[in-house]
């Protein structure tokens, strides 16, 4: 009833106050120009396929027991909502199939983008041992669309069991591209890429760059926390260096002014994306076709049950629809 609604308004009015300090200056709000969204087209052609929403579920987990249920929920959701998925590191199943079921989700995800994942240290080792066939077999047996190479020199350094890189990740990626015809994405793992690294990656014939930017889960810091206190105290400043997703979008846009036709022309903007409005802002700001990745929020809901993940994604897609109807990027905002 109207009277009940009015009473609710009175009761909630004080709780609904906003402050100018909380204002989101990234957008101009344009309430005049659209009806309420219904069946909004959020689709994007990406990685040679059509995604129904510009959302990528970033690489996370596998080979841990509970990973089978988590990855199964994610793959099912990607199929339902038309999104893409990158697996967690597939190192455990390169030569041992005991945990294969934690990664084998092509049937569940259908024809949506589905990518295998290896660290640059493992790729370097396989190149050195002339066993590149192991990568080809991995991608083929998973029926994956290609390989994500995660670049993580700081994580490897701080990991107690980590590998030592014998050459630069750029050299390893270039050698890999010379020796295989697989499609490749390159990503970081929580600290992003600086402008020089982005410039090098954009010049490579890879399918996409995934930011893995500063501001989300930081795997270097995660490894530091596994080590002794003295090493943690000495190393911790490294946990606070890196590039945010917004900084990286700006860097890529600047590089495009110098070279408007780079070899790599797609981005997965991940790292520190807290909600769909963050993703909408950054993908709208990008001059290259882009989707946005969310990991920790998706992991939380996928760990609970499928219904929790389903509701979360439905809400995020609804927010994207509202944003597309009523929000325009504020050209005067620089933050």
């Amino acid at each position: 009833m109207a009277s009940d609604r009015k009473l609710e308004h009175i009761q909630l009015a004080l709780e609904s106050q906003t402050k100018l300090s909380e204002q989101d200056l990234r957008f101009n709000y344009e309430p005049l120009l659209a009806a309420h969204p219904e069946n909004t087209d959020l689709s994007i052609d990406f990685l040679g396929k059509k995604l129904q929403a510009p959302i990528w579920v970033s690489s996370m987990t596998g080979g841990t027991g509970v990973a089978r249920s988590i990855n199964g929920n994610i793959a099912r959701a990607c199929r339902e909502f038309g999104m893409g998925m990158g697996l967690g590191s597939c190192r455990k199943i390169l030569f041992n199939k005991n945990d294969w079921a934690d990664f084998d989700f092509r049937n569940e995800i259908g024809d949506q983008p589905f990518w295998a994942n290896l660290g640059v240290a493992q790729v370097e080792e396989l190149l050195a041992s002339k066993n590149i066939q192991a990568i080809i077999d991995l991608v083929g047996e998973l029926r994956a669309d290609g390989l994500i190479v995660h670049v993580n020199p700081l994580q490897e350094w701080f990991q107690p069991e980590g590998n030592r890189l014998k050459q630069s990740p750029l050299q390893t990626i270039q050698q890999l591209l010379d020796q295989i015809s697989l499609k490749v994405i390159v990503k970081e793992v929580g600290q992003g890429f600086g402008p020089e690294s982005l410039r090098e990656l954009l010049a490579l014939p890879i399918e996409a760059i995934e930011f893995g930017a500063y501001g989300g889960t930081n795997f270097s810091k995660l490894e530091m926390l596994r080590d002794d206190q003295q090493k943690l105290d000495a190393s911790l400043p490294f946990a606070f260096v890196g590039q945010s997703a917004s900084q990286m979008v700006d860097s890529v846009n600047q590089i495009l002014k110098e070279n408007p036709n780079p070899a790599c022309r797609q981005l997965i903007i991940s790292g520190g994306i807290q909600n769909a409005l963050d993703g909408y802002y950054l993908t709208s700001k990008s001059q290259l076709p882009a989707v946005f990745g969310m990991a920790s929020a998706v992991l939380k809901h996928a760990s609970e049950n499928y219904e929790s993940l389903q509701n979360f994604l439905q809400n995020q897609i609804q927010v994207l629809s509202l944003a597309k109807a009523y929000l325009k990027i504020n050209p005067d905002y620089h933050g």
Side-chain angles (χ1 to χ4, degrees):
M1 292 176 60
S3 60
D4 293 336
R5 185 174 70 249
K6 293 297 184 184
L7 179 60
E8 267 192 302
H9 286 179
I10 292 169
Q11 292 170 336
L12 295 173
L14 290 178
E15 297 179 36
S16 305
Q17 298 295 305
T18 56
K19 302 174 183 177
L20 282 174
S21 60
E22 299 171 330
Q23 184 182 15
D24 192 338
L25 298 174
R26 298 175 297 179
F27 304 104
N28 289 330
Y29 169 50
E30 304 291 355
L32 200 66
L33 308 180
H36 278 150
E38 185 176 355
N39 301 319
T40 303
D41 183 7
L42 299 172
S43 65
I44 179 173
D45 292 324
F46 197 75
L47 299 174
K49 298 186 176 183
K50 183 176 285 293
L51 277 64
Q52 296 307 311
I55 301 175
W56 181 269
V57 184
S58 303
S59 312
M60 283 179 282
T61 187
T64 62
V66 297
R68 190 173 307 175
S69 172
I70 293 170
N71 284 339
N73 285 338
I74 291 170
R76 181 180 167 190
C78 285
R79 183 172 189 162
E80 178 177 352
F81 294 103
M83 306 181 308
M85 174 183 181
L87 286 167
S89 175
C90 298
R91 179 181 184 177
K92 290 192 72 170
I93 57 170
L94 261 177
F95 303 111
N96 186 325
K97 298 298 191 285
N98 288 345
D99 295 307
W100 188 261
D102 291 356
F103 299 84
D104 186 18
F105 290 103
R106 172 52 81 187
N107 289 340
E108 286 77 5
I109 200 170
D111 193 44
Q112 293 305 120
F114 178 64
W115 285 66
N117 176 5
L118 285 174
V120 72
Q122 284 73 61
V123 175
E124 181 186 273
E125 289 176 350
L126 292 168
L127 286 166
S129 63
K130 302 188 185 305
N131 192 10
I132 205 72
Q133 188 63 40
I135 296 177
I136 297 169
D137 292 344
L138 172 74
V139 174
E141 290 172 24
L142 284 171
R143 293 172 290 166
D145 294 295
L147 178 72
I148 297 169
V149 178
H150 63 263
V151 174
N152 59 337
L154 285 182
Q155 182 191 9
E156 291 287 0
W157 182 269
F158 293 121
Q159 186 179 94
E161 313 87 352
N163 298 90
R164 292 293 177 260
L165 301 180
K166 307 293 193 301
Q167 60 184 18
S168 75
L170 179 61
Q171 289 176 287
T172 296
I173 293 164
Q174 288 171 327
Q175 291 170 9
L176 176 68
L177 293 171
D178 287 342
Q179 295 187 36
I180 63 169
S181 58
L182 296 173
K183 295 179 179 180
V184 171
I185 293 171
V186 178
K187 70 163 290 182
E188 229 278 337
V189 299
Q191 292 177 281
F193 296 102
E196 291 185 25
S197 294
L198 287 170
R199 185 175 284 104
E200 294 287 357
L201 287 174
L202 287 167
L204 295 178
I206 57 178
E207 297 301 305
I209 303 166
E210 181 174 358
F211 285 178
Y214 182 89
T217 301
N218 184 320
F219 282 90
S220 295
K221 185 175 182 180
L222 184 151
E223 299 298 351
M224 293 175 199
L225 295 172
R226 296 178 58 233
D227 215 327
D228 66 64
Q229 188 63 45
Q230 190 175 41
K231 286 185 180 179
L232 173 61
D233 292 341
S235 304
L236 194 57
F238 269 104
F240 305 105
V241 300
Q243 269 64 44
S244 71
S246 184
Q247 287 173 316
M248 292 173 70
V249 170
D250 288 341
S251 291
V252 171
N253 288 346
Q254 181 61 42
I255 293 166
L256 290 174
K257 292 180 181 178
E258 307 161 12
N259 175 19
N261 294 299
C264 174
R265 298 195 56 80
Q266 298 176 107
L267 303 176
I268 301 171
I269 302 173
S270 62
I273 309 295
Q274 301 299 318
N275 52 58
L277 272 192
D278 289 346
Y280 177 74
Y281 172 70
L282 291 168
T283 53
S284 299
K285 186 179 173 184
S286 173
Q287 293 176 17
L288 288 179
V291 299
F292 65 92
M294 294 193 293
S296 57
V298 170
L299 180 61
K300 174 182 179 294
H301 292 282
S303 300
E304 294 174 6
N305 53 60
Y306 185 72
E307 290 69 28
S308 177
L309 178 60
Q310 185 182 47
N311 289 336
F312 171 76
L313 290 170
Q314 284 173 339
N315 289 331
Q316 298 303 307
I317 288 169
Q318 186 177 71
V319 167
L320 287 175
S321 297
L322 281 169
K324 188 172 182 178
Y326 298 115
L327 300 184
K328 309 298 180 187
I329 297 297
N330 177 4
D332 297 323
Y333 176 78
H334 303 284

